[in-house]
Amino acid sequence: MTASILFVCLGNICRSPTAEAVFQSRLKAVGLANQIQVDSAGTGDWHVGAAPDTRAQAAGLARGYDLSHLRARQVSQEDFFQHRWIIAMDQNNLRDLIQLAPAVHTAQLNLLLDYSSLSLVDKNVPDPYYGKIADFDRMLDLIEDACQGLLVHIHREII
Ligand code: 4NP
């Protein structure tokens, strides 16, 4: 059976599409791309149908991640049944997901930075939308590191 993971942020144009591309790349690198599907969505609907923010695309491409084919969509009720893991970029996203979730569902909801190797007090991937280019690089640093820990966690759960 193919397991599935969904990354969630607010707009689905900066953080979660970046996490989707990074995690997909990690899966390919370890030969698990056929076993785990990756997707992303936003809790908000402002950018539905839009490509990732051009700054997120540029920051990703500089590290070898192509985000250009991704399009924003909003989290749906089906997501809570279709995905085994739903991974929120920050605590607001997680709170919103918990409120949106059907009373009975099958997804495990977690924060991405729970899988970080860094000693972080703040478990939020900061929203870079109103920030500078350096904020997009910091976002990538946090996402790349935590995706490694998340991969180890998921690998343990599927074997
Ligand atoms: P994201 O960033 O949640 O990482 O995609 C944002 C993008 C757009 C907005 C907020 C956050 N916005 O308010 O339009």
Side-chain angles (χ1 to χ4, degrees):
M1 198 191 78
T2 308
S4 182
I5 181 165
L6 179 72
F7 293 99
V8 173
C9 62
L10 179 59
N12 193 210
I13 56 167
C14 297
R15 293 166 294 171
S16 62
T18 298
E20 176 181 350
V22 169
F23 200 70
Q24 184 72 61
S25 159
R26 294 286 182 277
L27 287 175
K28 276 196 188 134
V30 297
L32 285 175
N34 291 334
Q35 287 182 57
I36 301 170
Q37 286 182 351
V38 191
D39 196 2
S40 66
T43 55
D45 66 357
W46 309 283
H47 301 281
V48 168
D53 185 286
T54 51
R55 297 163 298 173
Q57 289 197 47
L61 207 52
R63 298 192 194 190
Y65 310 110
D66 180 8
L67 279 64
S68 63
H69 59 290
L70 303 175
R71 294 294 176 270
R73 71 170 182 88
Q74 192 173 24
V75 174
S76 71
Q77 294 289 293
E78 291 79 51
D79 283 319
F80 293 93
F81 300 95
Q82 281 172 4
H83 304 282
R84 181 157 161 192
W85 305 277
I86 299 182
I87 306 295
M89 295 298 121
D90 68 30
Q91 279 152 326
N92 287 336
N93 307 145
L94 183 59
R95 187 202 57 215
D96 291 344
L97 283 167
I98 290 167
Q99 280 178 359
L100 278 170
V104 177
H105 65 88
T106 53
Q108 297 175 37
L109 274 53
N110 282 105
L111 280 173
L112 179 65
L113 294 189
D114 280 341
Y115 303 99
S116 176
S117 73
L118 311 167
S119 313
L120 300 170
V121 179
D122 181 351
K123 292 291 180 78
N124 302 306
V125 179
D127 184 351
Y129 188 64
Y130 295 106
K132 302 186 171 81
I133 297 299
D135 298 310
F136 284 82
D137 271 326
R138 172 74 178 148
M139 168 191 77
L140 264 158
D141 290 343
L142 290 169
I143 288 174
E144 284 187 321
D145 171 71
C147 276
Q148 197 54 41
L150 178 61
L151 181 62
V152 171
H153 169 76
I154 280 180
H155 190 237
R156 275 199 206 111
E157 289 210 346
I158 62 167
I159 52 173

